[in-house]
Short mmCIF file of all heavy atoms in Angstrom, two decimals:
data_model
loop_
_atom_site.label_atom_id
_atom_site.label_comp_id
_atom_site.label_asym_id
_atom_site.label_seq_id
_atom_site.Cartn_x
_atom_site.Cartn_y
_atom_site.Cartn_z
N ARG A 25 12.82 -6.37 0.28
CA ARG A 25 13.01 -7.53 -0.62
C ARG A 25 11.75 -7.71 -1.47
O ARG A 25 11.84 -7.86 -2.71
CB ARG A 25 13.25 -8.81 0.19
CG ARG A 25 13.51 -9.99 -0.69
CD ARG A 25 13.62 -11.28 0.05
NE ARG A 25 12.31 -11.61 0.60
CZ ARG A 25 12.08 -12.03 1.81
NH1 ARG A 25 13.05 -12.10 2.69
NH2 ARG A 25 10.84 -12.27 2.24
N THR A 26 10.56 -7.66 -0.86
CA THR A 26 9.32 -7.81 -1.61
C THR A 26 9.23 -6.69 -2.62
O THR A 26 8.89 -6.93 -3.78
CB THR A 26 8.13 -7.87 -0.67
OG1 THR A 26 8.28 -8.96 0.24
CG2 THR A 26 6.83 -8.03 -1.47
N ALA A 27 9.41 -5.46 -2.21
CA ALA A 27 9.28 -4.29 -3.07
C ALA A 27 10.26 -4.35 -4.22
O ALA A 27 9.84 -4.03 -5.38
CB ALA A 27 9.50 -3.00 -2.26
N SER A 28 11.48 -4.77 -3.98
CA SER A 28 12.42 -4.78 -5.10
C SER A 28 12.08 -5.86 -6.10
O SER A 28 12.31 -5.67 -7.32
CB SER A 28 13.90 -5.02 -4.60
OG SER A 28 13.95 -6.23 -3.93
N LEU A 29 11.50 -6.96 -5.69
CA LEU A 29 10.99 -7.94 -6.64
C LEU A 29 9.80 -7.51 -7.41
O LEU A 29 9.63 -7.81 -8.58
CB LEU A 29 10.71 -9.28 -5.94
CG LEU A 29 11.95 -10.03 -5.44
CD1 LEU A 29 11.49 -11.17 -4.55
CD2 LEU A 29 12.70 -10.60 -6.64
N LEU A 30 8.95 -6.73 -6.79
CA LEU A 30 7.74 -6.25 -7.45
C LEU A 30 8.12 -5.05 -8.42
O LEU A 30 7.61 -5.07 -9.56
CB LEU A 30 6.73 -5.73 -6.48
CG LEU A 30 6.13 -6.77 -5.56
CD1 LEU A 30 5.19 -6.13 -4.54
CD2 LEU A 30 5.34 -7.81 -6.36
N CYS A 31 8.96 -4.17 -8.01
CA CYS A 31 9.29 -3.01 -8.80
C CYS A 31 10.37 -3.23 -9.83
O CYS A 31 10.42 -2.56 -10.82
CB CYS A 31 9.76 -1.85 -7.88
SG CYS A 31 8.45 -1.30 -6.74
N ALA A 32 11.34 -4.10 -9.53
CA ALA A 32 12.43 -4.34 -10.39
C ALA A 32 13.29 -3.07 -10.58
O ALA A 32 13.95 -2.89 -11.59
CB ALA A 32 12.03 -4.92 -11.71
N ASP A 33 13.22 -2.14 -9.64
CA ASP A 33 13.98 -0.91 -9.69
C ASP A 33 14.22 -0.55 -8.23
O ASP A 33 13.28 -0.33 -7.44
CB ASP A 33 13.14 0.16 -10.40
CG ASP A 33 13.80 1.52 -10.42
OD1 ASP A 33 14.79 1.73 -9.74
OD2 ASP A 33 13.26 2.38 -11.12
N ARG A 34 15.49 -0.37 -7.89
CA ARG A 34 15.87 -0.12 -6.53
C ARG A 34 15.27 1.20 -5.97
O ARG A 34 14.76 1.20 -4.83
CB ARG A 34 17.39 -0.02 -6.44
CG ARG A 34 17.94 0.22 -5.05
CD ARG A 34 19.43 0.20 -5.04
NE ARG A 34 20.04 1.06 -6.02
CZ ARG A 34 20.84 2.11 -5.71
NH1 ARG A 34 21.07 2.36 -4.48
NH2 ARG A 34 21.30 2.89 -6.65
N HIS A 35 15.23 2.20 -6.78
CA HIS A 35 14.70 3.49 -6.35
C HIS A 35 13.21 3.43 -6.12
O HIS A 35 12.65 3.98 -5.09
CB HIS A 35 15.10 4.60 -7.28
CG HIS A 35 16.55 4.72 -7.48
ND1 HIS A 35 17.37 5.19 -6.48
CD2 HIS A 35 17.33 4.45 -8.51
CE1 HIS A 35 18.64 5.16 -6.92
NE2 HIS A 35 18.67 4.69 -8.14
N ARG A 36 12.48 2.85 -7.03
CA ARG A 36 11.02 2.67 -6.89
C ARG A 36 10.71 1.80 -5.66
O ARG A 36 9.76 2.03 -4.95
CB ARG A 36 10.40 2.08 -8.14
CG ARG A 36 10.30 3.11 -9.25
CD ARG A 36 9.53 2.58 -10.41
NE ARG A 36 8.18 2.19 -10.08
CZ ARG A 36 7.50 1.24 -10.65
NH1 ARG A 36 7.98 0.54 -11.65
NH2 ARG A 36 6.28 1.03 -10.34
N ALA A 37 11.55 0.77 -5.44
CA ALA A 37 11.31 -0.09 -4.27
C ALA A 37 11.52 0.67 -2.98
O ALA A 37 10.73 0.54 -2.03
CB ALA A 37 12.31 -1.31 -4.31
N GLU A 38 12.53 1.50 -2.94
CA GLU A 38 12.73 2.32 -1.71
C GLU A 38 11.59 3.29 -1.50
O GLU A 38 11.10 3.43 -0.35
CB GLU A 38 14.04 3.12 -1.88
CG GLU A 38 15.28 2.23 -1.81
CD GLU A 38 16.57 2.93 -2.20
OE1 GLU A 38 16.48 4.14 -2.62
OE2 GLU A 38 17.62 2.34 -2.01
N ASP A 39 11.11 3.87 -2.56
CA ASP A 39 9.90 4.78 -2.45
C ASP A 39 8.70 4.01 -1.96
O ASP A 39 7.93 4.51 -1.16
CB ASP A 39 9.63 5.46 -3.77
CG ASP A 39 10.67 6.47 -4.16
OD1 ASP A 39 11.46 6.84 -3.29
OD2 ASP A 39 10.69 6.86 -5.33
N LEU A 40 8.51 2.78 -2.49
CA LEU A 40 7.38 1.96 -2.13
C LEU A 40 7.41 1.61 -0.61
O LEU A 40 6.41 1.66 0.06
CB LEU A 40 7.27 0.71 -2.98
CG LEU A 40 6.16 -0.22 -2.69
CD1 LEU A 40 4.78 0.39 -2.82
CD2 LEU A 40 6.24 -1.44 -3.61
N VAL A 41 8.59 1.23 -0.14
CA VAL A 41 8.76 0.89 1.27
C VAL A 41 8.49 2.14 2.12
O VAL A 41 7.83 2.05 3.15
CB VAL A 41 10.15 0.32 1.53
CG1 VAL A 41 10.40 0.16 3.03
CG2 VAL A 41 10.31 -1.04 0.89
N GLN A 42 8.97 3.26 1.70
CA GLN A 42 8.78 4.52 2.47
C GLN A 42 7.32 4.84 2.51
O GLN A 42 6.81 5.20 3.61
CB GLN A 42 9.60 5.65 1.84
CG GLN A 42 9.44 6.97 2.54
CD GLN A 42 10.29 8.05 1.95
OE1 GLN A 42 10.98 7.85 0.94
NE2 GLN A 42 10.26 9.20 2.53
N GLU A 43 6.62 4.74 1.38
CA GLU A 43 5.21 5.05 1.37
C GLU A 43 4.41 4.04 2.21
O GLU A 43 3.50 4.42 2.99
CB GLU A 43 4.68 5.04 -0.09
CG GLU A 43 3.21 5.47 -0.10
CD GLU A 43 2.72 5.57 -1.54
OE1 GLU A 43 3.56 5.65 -2.51
OE2 GLU A 43 1.51 5.63 -1.73
N THR A 44 4.84 2.83 2.21
CA THR A 44 4.20 1.79 3.00
C THR A 44 4.37 2.11 4.50
O THR A 44 3.38 2.03 5.26
CB THR A 44 4.76 0.39 2.70
OG1 THR A 44 4.48 0.11 1.30
CG2 THR A 44 4.20 -0.68 3.58
N LEU A 45 5.55 2.37 4.87
CA LEU A 45 5.82 2.65 6.31
C LEU A 45 5.08 3.91 6.76
O LEU A 45 4.57 3.98 7.94
CB LEU A 45 7.28 2.76 6.60
CG LEU A 45 8.10 1.46 6.53
CD1 LEU A 45 9.60 1.72 6.62
CD2 LEU A 45 7.55 0.45 7.55
N ALA A 46 4.93 4.93 5.88
CA ALA A 46 4.20 6.08 6.22
C ALA A 46 2.67 5.75 6.44
O ALA A 46 2.08 6.26 7.40
CB ALA A 46 4.34 7.14 5.14
N ARG A 47 2.15 4.88 5.62
CA ARG A 47 0.76 4.49 5.77
C ARG A 47 0.54 3.66 7.02
O ARG A 47 -0.48 3.77 7.71
CB ARG A 47 0.31 3.69 4.54
CG ARG A 47 0.15 4.59 3.31
CD ARG A 47 -0.30 3.80 2.12
NE ARG A 47 -0.35 4.66 0.93
CZ ARG A 47 -1.13 4.45 -0.05
NH1 ARG A 47 -1.94 3.44 -0.10
NH2 ARG A 47 -1.17 5.27 -1.09
#
Side-chain angles (χ1 to χ4, degrees):
R25 182 187 70 228
T26 301
S28 63
L29 286 169
L30 294 175
C31 296
D33 176 351
R34 181 174 54 116
H35 301 292
R36 285 185 61 210
E38 290 169 354
D39 291 344
L40 179 59
V41 170
Q42 182 177 1
E43 185 173 346
T44 298
L45 290 174
R47 290 179 183 209

